[in-house]
Amino acid sequence: MPIDVWGIPKRLTKAAVRGMSSHQVEEIRARLSRRGPDADFTAVEAAIYLGRSERTLKRAIDAGVGPKREKNPDVTGRGAVNRHTHFPKRELDSWRASLYGFASSLQSTFGDFESLTEDQPW
């Protein structure tokens, strides 16, 4: 399998990731994090980088709360739209930071989450 300059398989697919050990996935995540802020990730790379499944990422996007993605440019010259997308690293970092901000604001509002599940006197 061809390898890019970051040591990541060029055709990193969901099936390829399934065949990897957790150590290999963590190594790929570390290599993805060393890419510059202008780097573009495929959906599988974005999922690995964020530590989420590709399905979770797609569901967040479909719900309107996921990271911004960009469509690949038309290379045919016919105005065709390529349905494959890529994720700029800066957008993934921004989205991840917003998730952490949301979780910490919830915790500061409600205290610990366990108190929300306790029996109430009413």
Side-chain angles (χ1 to χ4, degrees), residues 52-72:
R52 305 281 188 267
S53 71
E54 192 177 359
R55 177 174 276 187
T56 299
L57 192 59
K58 179 162 180 7
R59 285 179 178 165
I61 291 166
D62 290 346
V65 295
K68 292 181 182 149
R69 60 186 174 170
E70 298 174 357
K71 292 200 178 258
N72 290 335

Side-chain angles (χ1 to χ4, degrees), residues 37 39-41 68-70 86-93:
D40 289 330
F41 292 168
K68 292 181 182 149
R69 60 186 174 170
E70 298 174 357
H86 62 273
F87 298 85
K89 184 180 180 193
R90 66 184 175 282
E91 295 294 339
L92 297 175
D93 290 338

Side-chain angles (χ1 to χ4, degrees), residues 1 5 12-13 19 39 45 57 59 61 63 80 92 95 103 108 117:
M1 179 178 294
V5 294
L12 187 60
T13 61
E45 290 172 337
L57 192 59
R59 285 179 178 165
I61 291 166
L92 297 175
W95 184 69
S108 67
T117 61

Side-chain angles (χ1 to χ4, degrees), residues 28 67 75 82 107 113:
I28 288 176
V75 295
N82 189 335
Q107 188 155 7
F113 289 109

